[in-house]
Amino acid sequence: MTGRDLTRGASRFLRIAVLGFAALVAAPATAQIAPQPEAPQAADPAPPGDAPAPEQKKPPRLVLDGRSLPLGGALKIPGMWQAYKARFVTESGRVVDTGNNLISHSEGQGYGMLLAVAANDRAAFDRIWGWTRANLMVRDDALLAWRWEPGKRPAVADMNDASDGDILVAWALAEAGDFWNDMSYRTAGRRIAVEVARKTMIFKTKMGAILLPAVSGFHENDRADGPIINLSYYVFPAFTRLKLVAPEVDWPGLTQTGLNLLDATRASPETLPPDWMSLKDWTYKPADGFPAQFSYNAVRVPLYMAWAGIGEREQYEPFMALVRKTRGSMSIIDVSNGVEVGKFGDAGIGAIGALTACVVEGSKAPPQLFMLAPQDNYYPATLQLLSVVAMQMRYASCLR
């Protein structure tokens, strides 16, 4: 949501110290990426003599495993989950955003539930789901209120949802129902998934199936530059698994639209997507009122692509170029000119750099990937643990 992301960005942007994984990528920072194919142009003059012009070799296409894989039990490092749970999950099941005034939100509850399934910790899953159901499912539909603030009454002041939080919770329930063979989880996951499709997805647009960030505030009727989308709300690994509970929804179409929108942001081979995008008149530009930056939201896009096992090399290259430049730590980029405007202040976000390098270049995971940094807050620690799960599920060769 607008308030959440601006608050998150402001609070985390102050932590400018460079704590990233400094040695995630072996390639030098000056390495260049292959240019995108361009429209045919006049051929360059032939070299002197009869020697043929040298042919430029294109890098091979990525070969990814995009199968629908179950999440249950995928996390093979129980100590990481135990450390995460001790720091960020209360006994009542509230996942605490330690970098954002100790609030809780549907995104965090969904991440916590997913990690509990991956760690085969049903007791923790039930605690997190129970708190979520009691405190965030307070709307008059099957979706979740997005934000809960401790010490305030009411703790839920904004009844709007966040579609990524809804999707994460529905996905976690679908995985739990499949892994633990519990129909109640499947039923709850289906209710949320169907409601997401009914209230936050727009079908049959010129760009395909569009996912709005929430029920209210982002439609073309809500904003002059609407509709507004956030690519990091396209939780690609969830879409193949939500077919378990809501097969009638066009999840494949949503995946394809997300990849197409990513392509639309790439004005050059290294152009990164912004956190917030306007699709007014079905053309792309950064959304009004938001920084035109690749930041705490959009950094999740390569994580979700890699976790789902989807995407082409050119779609990963902007992220890989950033990984090379920052030696894996990633950074905040002004998408209009490619200039670095800040650094992520926690080490865990560098795990996405390690995952990206694994996918694109087959780089081995660094040892520090498998231990949470003690100073990291909820969000970077969560992204680190999710990156480890993604790597263990689909990229075992990078773990050897």
Side-chain angles (χ1 to χ4, degrees):
M1 301 309 309
T2 305
R4 173 186 61 178
D5 291 299
L6 293 178
T7 301
R8 170 188 292 157
S11 64
R12 289 174 178 148
F13 196 86
L14 296 176
R15 300 194 300 276
I16 292 298
V18 181
L19 297 171
F21 289 121
L24 290 180
V25 184
T30 56
Q32 299 296 311
I33 64 173
Q36 280 188 277
E38 297 179 352
Q41 298 178 355
D44 293 332
D50 297 328
E55 291 185 5
Q56 288 188 343
K57 290 186 178 180
K58 294 182 180 179
R61 292 187 62 180
L62 296 179
V63 179
L64 301 178
D65 178 3
R67 292 176 299 163
S68 175
L69 299 178
L71 177 67
L75 180 60
K76 306 302 183 183
I77 309 175
M80 289 189 75
W81 166 242
Q82 295 302 325
Y84 180 94
K85 186 169 59 169
R87 285 162 59 179
F88 306 118
V89 184
T90 70
E91 284 299 316
S92 65
R94 183 168 83 89
V95 180
V96 180
D97 188 341
T98 56
N100 197 5
N101 299 318
L102 304 182
I103 70 167
S104 294
H105 33 67
S106 56
E107 167 210 281
Q109 297 302 121
Y111 283 145
M113 291 166 64
L114 286 166
L115 290 170
V117 177
N120 192 14
D121 189 344
R122 188 168 184 175
F125 179 91
D126 284 336
R127 287 200 305 275
I128 300 169
W129 170 226
W131 189 94
T132 304
R133 192 168 57 242
N135 292 276
L136 297 184
M137 299 196 75
V138 293
R139 294 166 48 93
D140 59 1
D141 57 19
L143 302 180
L144 289 76
W146 75 274
R147 179 185 178 100
W148 188 95
E149 298 185 68
K152 291 193 176 182
R153 296 295 179 269
V156 176
D158 184 353
M159 296 295 288
N160 206 6
D161 72 316
S163 59
D164 67 330
D166 298 326
I167 288 168
L168 291 167
V169 172
W171 177 25
L173 288 163
E175 296 285 3
D178 182 54
F179 187 50
W180 292 312
N181 193 27
D182 190 312
M183 183 57 70
S184 68
Y185 297 147
R186 295 190 188 99
T187 301
R190 173 173 173 76
R191 290 192 185 113
I192 298 171
V194 170
E195 201 80 328
V196 166
R198 192 168 72 89
K199 291 193 170 181
T200 68
M201 291 173 64
I202 306 174
F203 297 95
K204 298 181 180 179
T205 75
K206 290 183 179 179
M207 291 185 168
I210 299 297
L211 176 69
L212 296 175
V215 171
S216 302
F218 298 93
H219 197 275
E220 61 184 346
N221 297 328
D222 300 320
R223 290 176 52 108
D225 63 338
I228 302 297
I229 68 119
N230 185 318
L231 266 181
S232 75
Y233 283 34
Y234 283 65
V235 189
F236 296 124
F239 297 159
T240 57
R241 300 296 289 167
L242 284 171
K243 291 190 296 185
L244 294 172
V245 295
E248 70 273 32
V249 177
D250 186 16
W251 305 113
L254 201 60
T255 294
Q256 187 59 56
T257 301
L259 294 175
N260 292 345
L261 289 170
L262 178 61
D263 289 339
T265 69
R266 234 173 35 250
S268 75
E270 294 191 9
T271 303
L272 291 156
D275 287 347
W276 296 93
M277 300 168 52
S278 164
L279 300 182
K280 181 177 174 61
D281 298 326
W282 306 113
T283 58
Y284 153 75
K285 70 170 187 174
D288 296 339
F290 295 93
Q293 293 177 355
F294 170 86
S295 186
Y296 286 95
N297 281 270
V299 75
R300 295 179 292 186
V301 174
L303 164 61
Y304 289 155
M305 289 170 59
W307 196 355
I310 61 172
E312 300 294 341
R313 182 178 296 275
E314 59 268 24
Q315 293 167 327
Y316 283 95
E317 282 295 359
F319 309 110
M320 191 63 223
L322 182 62
V323 170
R324 295 187 186 111
K325 289 176 182 177
T326 62
R327 295 193 175 273
S329 63
M330 313 291 276
S331 55
I332 299 168
I333 302 296
D334 183 331
V335 301
S336 65
N337 55 23
V339 173
E340 180 181 300
V341 294
K343 296 185 182 298
F344 296 116
D346 299 271
I349 289 177
I352 298 177
L355 176 61
T356 303
C358 165
V359 172
V360 177
E361 297 185 342
S363 301
K364 303 302 180 184
Q368 59 265 43
L369 184 70
F370 307 106
M371 182 176 297
L372 296 179
Q375 74 275 10
D376 273 7
N377 282 307
Y378 145 82
Y379 189 61
T382 301
L383 297 184
Q384 180 178 348
L385 204 47
L386 296 174
S387 298
V388 169
V389 171
M391 201 172 286
Q392 291 186 325
M393 286 178 67
R394 295 194 188 273
Y395 307 98
S397 62
C398 295
L399 300 174
R400 301 191 183 103

